[in-house]
Amino acid sequence: MRVTRFRSFRSLVLAVGIHVLAIGLLILSLDLTPPPAGQPQGTEVVQAVTVDEQKVKAEVERLEQAERRKRDEETARRRSAESELAAAKTKRQAEERRLAEVKKERDAVENAKAAEQKELEATEAKRKQEEERRVTLEKQRLEEEKQRAEAKAAEEKKRREAEAKAEAEKKRKETEAKAEAKAKADAEKKRQEEERRARELAEQIEAEQQAARDQSEIDRFTRLIQTQIENAFTNPQRGLKCTLLVKMVPGGDVVDAKVVRSSGNVLFDRRAEIAVHKASPLPVPDDPRLFQHMREIEFIFDPQA
């Protein structure tokens, strides 16, 4: 605002100066010498004034044009300076934004490193705690075993002392009792061994029967899976078959299917894999224990069989 007022004042002063100069030139151009005899005085004055006014006007116009050019140049310089200032400001703001982004990225990296370090420290602390707990439990177990052994040894010692004390007066009865006890012990041991064998045999039979039932169910569901995949298979070709490995999650959703033994026809193999995914979810048993045996199944895929 101050610059604009100063420029307006300077323009006003220049305009006044131009008019003063014009008046001065007009005065200087007047010839006050009396005209020669016989020449009309008024005519020369008018002509001189007319000529000088034209010169003054020309000079004034020249000075005004110079002033206008000067103002235009000054305006152009001012606009150029403002443009450069605006460009510098924009560049500075862009640099500030870039620096802010760099700082933000650096802060993010530092925060991530700090979080990772904190997690590592927490993991190490947890590992040390678990190790201390394991060592403590092991010490407790060893101490309990030691106490049991000491108690057993003390009891055994007491028993032997009692037996030694009564041995003199009860030698015969003790011998008979020992013989009888041994017979009973042998009989009990034999009975227990027979019971153990019977249990093991029953458990083995039950395990075999359960395995047979499981295999029967697995075979049934495998046939259902084969049938469902064959129904999803398109354009079967006679004489072609491949071996598929199918991986599933509970519920029968297929997570992977691939040919582990090719039919020799790439297109047939690819269609077989596509048919597996298309048939998903596949029929699987609800029993989690039984499903564990079918999480991955391998079977021969022969849609013409």
Side-chain angles (χ1 to χ4, degrees):
M1 182 64 72
R2 291 180 179 178
V3 174
T4 304
R5 291 179 179 176
F6 175 74
R7 289 174 179 170
S8 300
F9 176 73
R10 189 176 63 179
S11 300
L12 178 60
V13 171
L14 182 59
V16 172
I18 291 173
H19 285 81
V20 171
L21 177 61
I23 295 171
L25 291 174
L26 178 61
I27 294 172
L28 292 175
S29 64
L30 293 177
D31 188 3
L32 301 178
T33 306
Q39 183 178 358
Q41 185 176 359
T43 302
E44 291 180 357
V45 172
V46 172
Q47 290 178 351
V49 171
T50 301
V51 173
D52 290 336
E53 285 181 353
Q54 292 177 351
K55 291 180 179 181
V56 169
K57 287 181 179 181
E59 183 65 19
V60 169
E61 184 176 353
R62 184 185 67 79
L63 291 174
E64 289 178 349
Q65 290 178 354
E67 177 62 18
R68 283 196 297 273
R69 285 195 300 273
K70 187 174 183 181
R71 285 199 303 271
D72 293 342
E73 291 175 356
E74 186 174 351
T75 300
R77 286 195 298 271
R78 178 177 57 78
R79 290 178 178 175
S80 177
E82 291 176 352
S83 178
E84 291 177 358
L85 181 61
K89 183 178 179 181
T90 301
K91 184 177 180 181
R92 178 175 59 79
Q93 291 175 348
E95 185 67 17
E96 289 177 354
R97 287 194 298 271
R98 187 185 68 80
L99 291 175
E101 291 176 356
V102 170
K103 184 178 182 300
K104 183 178 180 180
E105 292 176 358
R106 184 175 67 250
D107 293 343
V109 171
E110 291 177 355
N111 291 337
K113 288 182 179 179
E116 183 179 359
Q117 181 64 26
K118 185 176 181 181
E119 184 177 355
L120 289 175
E121 292 175 355
T123 302
E124 181 64 17
K126 184 177 180 181
R127 187 191 65 78
K128 289 182 179 180
Q129 185 179 4
E130 289 293 330
E131 182 66 19
E132 292 174 356
R133 178 175 174 274
R134 187 187 65 78
V135 171
T136 301
L137 291 176
E138 182 66 16
K139 288 181 178 179
Q140 291 178 353
R141 186 185 65 81
L142 292 175
E143 183 65 24
E144 290 174 356
E145 289 182 355
K146 180 181 178 181
Q147 291 176 359
R148 284 195 298 269
E150 291 175 351
K152 185 177 180 180
E155 183 179 355
E156 181 67 17
K157 182 180 180 181
K158 183 178 180 181
R159 185 185 65 80
R160 288 177 180 178
E161 288 176 352
E163 288 178 353
K165 185 177 181 180
E167 184 176 2
E169 59 185 63
K170 296 182 180 180
K171 186 175 182 180
R172 182 181 58 82
K173 293 181 178 181
E174 186 177 295
T175 303
E176 294 177 355
K178 286 183 178 180
E180 185 179 355
K182 185 177 182 301
K184 290 180 178 181
D186 291 341
E188 180 65 18
K189 184 177 180 181
K190 183 177 180 181
R191 185 185 64 79
Q192 291 178 355
E193 181 66 19
E194 290 176 352
E195 288 181 354
R196 183 184 65 79
R197 290 180 179 178
R199 285 196 303 271
E200 290 179 352
L201 180 60
E203 290 174 356
Q204 182 179 357
I205 293 173
E206 176 62 23
E208 291 176 353
Q209 291 176 347
Q210 184 62 48
R213 290 193 297 270
D214 290 349
Q215 189 59 47
S216 176
E217 280 294 288
I218 292 172
D219 292 342
R220 184 174 70 84
F221 277 100
T222 301
R223 288 192 298 271
L224 292 175
I225 290 173
Q226 287 177 303
T227 301
Q228 188 161 321
I229 295 173
E230 289 172 1
N231 292 336
F233 188 75
T234 58
N235 300 326
Q237 293 176 289
R238 292 187 177 277
L240 293 179
K241 59 183 178 179
C242 63
T243 301
L244 288 171
L245 175 63
V246 179
K247 298 180 181 180
M248 297 172 289
V249 295
D253 289 323
V254 176
V255 296
D256 188 25
K258 60 182 178 180
V259 174
V260 295
R261 188 174 295 107
S262 175
S263 66
N265 186 306
V266 176
L267 181 59
F268 179 86
D269 294 346
R270 180 56 182 159
R271 286 177 175 172
E273 294 175 347
I274 292 173
V276 175
H277 288 284
K278 186 177 179 181
S280 180
L282 299 174
V284 293
D286 295 331
D287 185 355
R289 180 189 62 80
L290 193 58
F291 173 75
Q292 287 298 101
H293 297 288
M294 297 190 64
R295 186 178 290 274
E296 293 186 9
I297 61 171
E298 183 177 318
F299 59 89
I300 297 175
F301 179 68
D302 186 2
Q304 295 298 324

